[in-house]
Amino acid sequence: MNVTGSPHVARVPIRWPSEAIWEAVAPSLDGFTVEVFPQIDSTNSELMRRARTGQLAPILLVAERQMAGRGRMGRQWISDHLEPAGHTGNIAPSLVFSLGLPLSPADWSGLSLAVGVSVAQSLHPDLRLKWPNDIWLQDRKLAGILIETGSFDGTRYAVIGVGINVLERGAQGLSTPPAWLAELLPDINASQTLLRVVPQLVNAVKVFEAQGFGPFRQRFAALDALAGRSVTLSEGTFGTAQGVDAIGALLVHTSVGMKTISSSEVSVRPSPGKS
Ligand code: BTN
């Protein structure tokens, strides 16, 4: 039994574009390294563990399999779906990685939106963002982002975790139906996806550190999947999404006036049956 669950198929090493990514990123990120793990519990957890032991140099950590991936609001991130029929064990059906780096923006508000803008735009123009940072294709989730931060010996450190469905996947274990990148780019694989996303993401994070959410506001608005739609908030309020404000908080017009939602612990859904 190989690691994908298919009997008698030897797993061929995946060719990750570590060098190309390093060459693109290292000039602007001193001390940057790339590591690939065949298997790990969670790339975010690993970088947070390292940060707690003082390892704060910029790093990209990629995992071919993630056994305990974490999502926002304490959810799981399941990326270990089986490879589609006909593949031979040398592909990763999902891309999971975390970028860890010291980061000290004047204001952290809107970082997750800026990351979402960068990842979506580096992948395909048909992708949209569901506040705060899910990436959607036609109202189905294609990618998720989990950002964790901490202060270690006086250095602020951020771990930006990204999970992208690359190849077709079923809805098992998911609360909403998934989308995958190969729907838009049939020949794409996880390695190519990584190379498309990471250099632009590093650049976006540096722009955010220097200038905050401002440079991303219009770009977010152009991709906003909720704008003008009826939404339901997790605490039960209904309203109409009206875009985001200057620091990336979601504006929702409700029966009792405009609500500004800045907590990423509030989840927002388009209301069923309404546009
Ligand atoms: C969400 O949609 O709730 C966020 C999902 C984030 C998943 C990624 S996969 C790589 C990194 N490691 C994790 O454990 N989570 C993030």
Side-chain angles (χ1 to χ4, degrees), residues 53-156:
T53 66
Q55 299 174 71
L56 301 177
I59 181 166
L60 174 71
L61 183 62
V62 183
E64 293 177 0
R65 298 184 81 199
Q66 191 174 239
M67 312 311 285
R70 297 185 288 109
R72 288 178 50 242
M73 303 174 75
R75 298 187 184 119
Q76 285 180 290
W77 178 259
I78 299 171
S79 51
D80 199 31
H81 50 286
L82 295 182
E83 292 169 359
H87 286 282
T88 52
N90 62 346
I91 52 163
S94 285
L95 173 64
V96 291
F97 70 87
S98 298
L99 174 70
L101 74 173
L103 202 66
S104 44
D107 183 356
W108 290 82
S109 319
L111 173 60
S112 67
L113 283 67
V115 168
V117 166
S118 170
V119 173
Q121 289 191 329
S122 61
L123 289 176
H124 197 277
D126 287 355
L127 297 177
R128 294 291 172 266
L129 292 169
K130 198 214 81 174
W131 186 93
N133 52 10
D134 286 355
I135 297 177
W136 273 9
L137 172 63
Q138 297 154 356
D139 281 5
R140 291 173 292 127
K141 184 161 171 171
L142 184 135
I145 294 160
L146 177 67
I147 300 181
E148 298 177 290
T149 61
S151 191
F152 304 97
D153 292 332
T155 301
R156 293 303 304 267

Side-chain angles (χ1 to χ4, degrees), residues 45-56:
S45 299
E46 172 66 10
L47 291 190
M48 290 304 280
R49 282 193 292 267
R50 291 185 186 190
R52 283 192 284 275
T53 66
Q55 299 174 71
L56 301 177

Side-chain angles (χ1 to χ4, degrees), residues 1-17:
M1 181 77 80
N2 79 335
V3 289
T4 67
S6 330
H8 315 304
V9 182
R11 191 172 186 98
V12 179
I14 299 171
R15 293 171 67 90
W16 292 101

